[in-house]
Amino acid sequence: MTPRITFSLLLTRNFRTVIAGLCLLFLLSALLAAKPKAADLVKDGQAIDLQQKKYRQLFKELKQKYQFTDQELQQIFAGQVISKRVLELMDRQWEAKPYYKYAPLFLTPFNIATGKIQLSRYRELLDRVEQEFGVDREIIVAIWGIETHYGTRQGNFNVLQTLNTLFDAYPRRSKFFRNQLVHFLLLCKEDSIDPRTVRGSYAGAFGQTQFIPSSFRAYAVSFDGNEQRDVWNSTPDVLASIANYLKQFHWTLHAPVYAELGHELKDRRLIAAQAKGRKGRIAWQIVRDVQNPDLPPSPEGRPLAIVGLELDPNKSAERFRYIAAYPNFQAITEWNHSNRYAMAVTELAEAFKK
């Protein structure tokens, strides 16, 4: 006899299916959450295996392509060990702060007052930097202040160990840090620097500019009369290197950085551009016509980005402050891929003038 299928039986089966699905989903979520982080898989001070395939390939490239000798490589890599702390910091999930919490970290009385002092102290040097590179001095000094508190906080991690740690034990970005390790060894060779002595951040950035190695090789310059690019101790090299970076991304001296657009975007094209993030672009004529008739022209008619900056809900009934981000603003986002960072630099630079 065929079993009779009733509504109550179907309901029971469906319920069981739903419960089974929820249990499976919970199990998968638990497994994902339990996935070990890079720092969980190593011991601090663990020796790096220089005989593994990826290091043999690295050494082969350094010898054949860049003329490193076996003796040089032995001196550089002997005794390299893992820094667990570097991996812990890389694994940490940094929560993006809304702008009303982010900006006060940098727009401090100390940063503003010290920046004004530095602008006065290095006035003649900044005259030469502006003339040579065409980048506004306040922006240069603001980046200097935000990156390393005007050179006083350059990081205390051994850069060679950091880059080896991230190449060897941070799989998610191992390829990137292998490339940075090669650039680091090349810049040390080019500028006669002992790679074992350089200190910087847990991500391999160093100096008063906090350049990563590839950025140093591409943008650092000597501006103090010798040939060595010294972003650790030479203020002329530091300020000129910051300026040169922005120059390469088409900074225009004394041109607008941003313009206020109010608390509401009035056209779907502006909304679409803002939704695309820092790479979104829109013709400045459109922004002028639909949002702000007093909008200054963009250099060479280049397009703008649209940026929304979060407002403190305890102080404003509005959620966002919208700005038109000019090509100069966009150049700052090439230094650091954050609109919040670019705005903090800009507002710190503005504060120097008050």
Side-chain angles (χ1 to χ4, degrees):
M1 179 181 294
T2 303
R4 184 181 178 188
I5 299 176
T6 64
F7 175 76
S8 60
L9 182 60
L10 286 172
L11 185 61
T12 302
R13 288 177 177 174
N14 287 339
F15 179 74
R16 289 174 178 170
T17 301
V18 170
I19 292 298
L22 290 173
C23 289
L24 179 60
L25 182 62
F26 177 79
L27 179 61
L28 289 172
S29 299
L31 288 172
L32 289 173
K35 183 179 179 181
K37 295 180 178 180
D40 298 330
L41 303 176
V42 299
K43 294 181 180 179
D44 191 45
Q46 171 183 317
I48 293 176
D49 179 8
L50 301 179
Q51 299 304 315
Q52 59 184 303
K53 181 179 179 181
K54 63 182 180 182
Y55 268 94
R56 294 199 309 270
Q57 292 174 336
L58 173 65
F59 296 153
K60 182 179 179 180
E61 176 183 338
L62 289 171
K63 288 189 290 186
Q64 293 184 352
K65 191 173 182 179
Y66 301 112
Q67 289 74 55
F68 281 82
T69 66
D70 286 324
Q71 182 180 3
E72 286 175 320
L73 295 178
Q74 174 63 24
Q75 290 175 342
I76 292 168
F77 286 93
Q80 284 298 308
V81 298
I82 295 292
S83 169
K84 187 169 183 174
R85 182 57 177 160
V86 164
L87 296 173
E88 289 171 343
L89 290 169
M90 291 296 290
D91 276 335
R92 183 180 295 173
Q93 296 298 310
W94 297 98
E95 182 181 354
K97 296 181 183 294
Y99 189 69
Y100 65 87
K101 290 184 177 180
Y102 180 88
L105 299 175
F106 306 106
L107 304 178
T108 64
F110 169 85
N111 263 356
I112 295 169
T114 307
K116 290 180 178 180
I117 292 171
Q118 303 290 26
L119 282 163
S120 176
R121 180 181 181 185
Y122 295 110
R123 183 184 62 200
E124 293 182 1
L125 169 61
L126 288 164
D127 285 342
R128 293 195 295 117
V129 170
E130 273 194 352
Q131 183 176 7
E132 177 71 21
F133 298 97
V135 178
D136 298 79
R137 66 188 64 204
E138 293 83 6
I139 293 291
I140 297 168
V141 172
I143 289 177
W144 186 27
I146 287 178
E147 290 295 340
T148 58
H149 276 217
Y150 308 100
T152 62
R153 299 180 183 178
Q154 299 185 39
N156 202 35
F157 289 87
N158 182 283
V159 172
L160 181 61
Q161 181 187 24
T162 294
L163 294 174
N164 273 290
T165 294
L166 294 170
F167 169 44
D168 184 50
Y170 197 61
R172 186 166 66 86
R173 300 193 70 194
S174 179
K175 182 177 180 181
F176 173 82
F177 285 107
R178 181 194 191 279
N179 184 48
Q180 293 306 314
L181 178 56
V182 170
H183 276 292
F184 178 66
L185 296 178
L186 291 175
L187 75 86
C188 288
K189 195 170 190 178
E190 292 161 354
D191 286 72
S192 301
I193 298 167
D194 184 346
R196 298 167 297 182
T197 65
V198 180
R199 308 197 77 80
S201 78
Y202 66 84
F206 53 81
Q208 298 188 41
T209 56
Q210 288 296 282
F211 280 152
I212 59 174
S214 58
S215 293
F216 177 96
R217 295 190 69 224
Y219 306 112
V221 296
S222 177
F223 203 67
D224 58 5
N226 61 33
E227 294 183 356
Q228 186 174 34
R229 300 166 293 180
D230 182 359
V231 297
W232 296 271
N233 304 301
S234 170
T235 301
D237 289 5
V238 169
L239 300 182
S241 294
I242 295 172
N244 186 51
Y245 192 109
L246 296 176
K247 175 185 177 181
Q248 301 308 315
F249 289 97
H250 314 296
W251 185 276
T252 302
L253 185 65
H254 303 323
V257 180
Y258 75 99
E260 298 286 353
L261 297 180
H263 300 298
E264 180 182 359
L265 297 178
K266 301 175 183 178
D267 188 278
R268 58 180 177 79
R269 292 168 292 182
L270 275 70
I271 296 172
Q274 192 265 334
K276 291 179 181 178
R278 75 180 191 92
K279 291 295 187 180
R281 296 289 185 269
I282 186 170
W284 78 268
Q285 296 94 334
I286 293 176
V287 184
R288 177 199 60 193
D289 293 345
V290 303
Q291 192 80 24
N292 181 356
D294 298 322
L295 198 71
S298 179
E300 300 176 0
R302 285 181 281 165
L304 310 179
I306 305 298
V307 175
L309 301 166
E310 301 90 348
L311 296 173
D312 187 343
N314 296 318
K315 297 180 180 179
S316 174
E318 306 292 344
R319 291 185 59 200
F320 289 97
R321 164 195 175 195
Y322 291 102
I323 64 165
Y326 281 73
N328 279 354
F329 187 101
Q330 297 160 26
I332 304 173
T333 67
E334 296 294 341
W335 177 285
N336 181 308
H337 296 174
S338 164
N339 285 327
R340 296 184 183 95
Y341 177 92
M343 195 62 189
V345 166
T346 304
E347 293 196 315
L348 181 57
E350 289 178 333
F352 295 154
K353 299 178 182 180
K354 296 178 181 177

